[in-house]
Amino acid sequence: MLDWLYNIVGWVLIEIHSALTSVGLNPDSGWAWGLSIVTLTVLMRLIMVPLFVKQMQTQRKIQEMQPQLMKVRERYKNDKQRLQQEQMKLYQESGTNPLMGCLPLLLQMPVFFALFNVLRNVAEGHARYGFTPELVESAQNAAIFHAPLAAQFLMSNRELEGYGADPIIAKAVIVIACVIMGTTTFLTMRQSMNRSTVQMPDNPMAQSQKIMMYLAPAFGLFGLAMPIGVLIYWVTSNVWTMGQQHFLYRKPAEGSGEGAGDAAKTASPNGSAKGLLGKRKESAPEPVEEPKIERKQPRKQPRAKRSGGNQRKG
C-alpha cells in the first residue's frame, strides 16, 4: 500500500547519492551513502518547517485559552462527555486545531518507515524502489567507522563478516550509535516538555510527558534492530528538531513591538518574575500625596460653665 512512498524515498536517496558522487565522493564509500541519508533528512525537515511554525502558533493559542479551558474543566469535571463538547466548542470558536500540535511528528513517521523499509531491502540484497543490483551492492558494502550501513546489532557474526566487517567493531559502533540516538531523543523530548510546561503550567498531560521523557533512552534499545542508516536518519532528525525549536522559540522572545518578547519573559521560569516585576516598577505611577485633614478637638469647658448650663436646662 505504501510502495509509492517507498519508491519516492528510494528515488530521492539515489539522486542525492548521485549528486554527491559527482562532486568527488567515492560512490561506494559509507560517507557518500551516509551523507545522502543526512541530506534526505534535512530536505524533508525543511519542507516541514511551515508545519512546525503552525504547530508553534497552535501551542500559543492554546496557551492563551488556558483560563477558559480551566473554567470549563472545573465546571464539567464530573461530566466527561460535556467537558469534551465544551472544549471542542472553545477550539472551534478560536480557530484552533489541537491536532496541529502532533501533525509534524505524524508526517515524519511514514518517511521513517519508508527509509527503514528501503534500507532493509538493501540489506537483504533486494533491488527494489529504484535501486539497481549495482547500487544495492554498493550500499551494502558502504561502511562508516568500519560498520556497514545495512548492518544491525542483531545480525550474526557471519552476516557481518559477509559485508567485510569485523563483527566486534561493527557492533561496538552500532551500540554507540544507539546511545547517541537515545540521548538525542531524550534531549529533544525534554526541550519540548520544558517549553510546553512553561506555556501551560497546568497541563494535565505533564506527568505523562515526564514519564515518556525518562523512557526516551529506551528508544536506543529499538535501535539495536535497525540498520545504521536508519540510526543516522533518526539522530539527524533529533538534532534538527533541537536546533529548530531553539531558534524558532527564541527568535520571538528577542523581538519587540508585538508583545512577543513580553510574553516570552513572563513565560520563562527564571526571567519571568524579574521581567514582570521590572516592568511593573517602570510603569507604576508615582504616589500622589493627599491633603492632610486637620482635626480640631473641641475645647474643654470649665466645670462651672457646664454645671450652669445644666441648671438652665433644668
Side-chain angles (χ1 to χ4, degrees):
M1 186 175 65
L2 292 176
D3 280 357
W4 63 272
L5 181 59
Y6 301 158
N7 286 321
I8 292 174
V9 171
W11 178 82
V12 173
L13 186 61
I14 292 170
E15 291 299 316
I16 294 172
H17 176 263
S18 177
L20 290 175
T21 56
S22 66
V23 296
L25 286 179
N26 182 359
D28 297 325
S29 67
W31 295 107
W33 286 105
L35 287 175
S36 298
I37 296 172
V38 171
T39 306
L40 172 65
T41 308
V42 171
L43 288 176
M44 186 199 71
R45 297 306 304 270
L46 281 172
I47 293 172
M48 293 176 62
V49 165
L51 289 177
F52 186 85
V53 173
K54 184 68 176 178
Q55 177 190 24
M56 183 175 63
Q57 293 171 347
T58 299
Q59 290 175 347
R60 286 177 177 169
K61 283 185 179 180
I62 294 177
Q63 176 192 0
E64 294 171 359
M65 293 170 58
Q66 282 306 298
Q68 296 171 286
L69 290 171
M70 286 299 297
K71 289 180 182 178
V72 170
R73 291 191 194 109
E74 184 64 27
R75 183 178 300 175
Y76 303 107
K77 59 183 178 182
N78 297 323
D79 189 347
K80 292 185 178 180
Q81 185 176 358
R82 184 66 185 278
L83 174 61
Q84 291 177 354
Q85 292 174 353
E86 293 298 323
Q87 285 179 333
M88 290 306 300
K89 185 178 178 181
L90 285 175
Y91 288 135
Q92 290 173 357
E93 290 175 353
S94 64
T96 304
N97 185 358
L99 294 178
M100 285 300 302
C102 54
L103 185 59
L105 178 62
L106 293 177
L107 291 179
Q108 285 182 65
M109 295 311 293
V111 178
F112 166 77
F113 287 120
L115 182 61
F116 177 82
N117 194 58
V118 169
L119 292 178
R120 185 183 63 182
N121 276 270
V122 168
E124 294 173 354
H126 299 153
R128 301 179 62 187
Y129 312 125
F131 277 77
T132 63
E134 292 77 18
L135 285 174
V136 169
E137 184 179 359
S138 172
Q140 277 185 328
N141 296 320
I144 294 181
F145 301 117
H146 306 286
L149 291 179
Q152 303 176 27
F153 185 85
L154 299 180
M155 283 182 171
S156 65
N157 291 347
R158 182 177 296 179
E159 288 176 309
L160 293 173
E161 289 172 353
Y163 292 126
D166 185 319
I168 297 177
I169 296 177
K171 289 189 176 184
V173 171
I174 294 172
V175 169
I176 294 173
C178 289
V179 171
I180 295 173
M181 186 190 80
T183 303
T184 54
T185 301
F186 170 78
L187 294 175
T188 302
M189 294 184 70
R190 187 181 69 172
Q191 184 187 44
S192 178
M193 181 183 168
N194 289 342
R195 174 62 57 180
S196 63
T197 303
V198 167
Q199 290 184 339
M200 295 177 285
D202 57 344
N203 183 6
M205 298 297 293
Q207 189 62 29
S208 300
Q209 291 176 350
K210 190 173 182 180
I211 294 173
M212 288 295 295
M213 180 183 70
Y214 285 108
L215 289 177
F219 281 97
L221 297 177
F222 295 106
L224 298 176
M226 298 177 186
I228 288 183
V230 176
L231 298 180
I232 292 174
Y233 164 81
W234 196 313
V235 171
T236 304
S237 183
N238 284 345
V239 173
W240 178 278
T241 300
M242 286 190 289
Q244 182 175 255
Q245 288 183 159
H246 178 76
F247 177 76
L248 290 180
Y249 279 119
R250 184 183 178 185
K251 187 177 180 181
E254 293 176 348
S256 60
E258 296 182 2
D262 297 335
K265 287 179 183 177
T266 57
S268 65
N270 297 326
S272 62
K274 185 183 286 186
L276 186 59
L277 290 174
K279 189 175 179 181
R280 285 180 179 173
K281 283 182 180 179
E282 291 175 2
S283 59
E286 294 182 359
V288 179
E289 293 185 2
E290 297 182 358
K292 294 182 179 180
I293 301 175
E294 296 182 359
R295 295 184 179 180
K296 294 183 179 181
Q297 298 290 339
R299 294 179 180 178
K300 291 185 179 181
Q301 295 180 350
R303 184 177 295 178
K305 242 181 185 180
R306 283 183 290 173
S307 61
N310 292 334
Q311 289 176 0
R312 288 195 195 103
K313 285 181 182 179

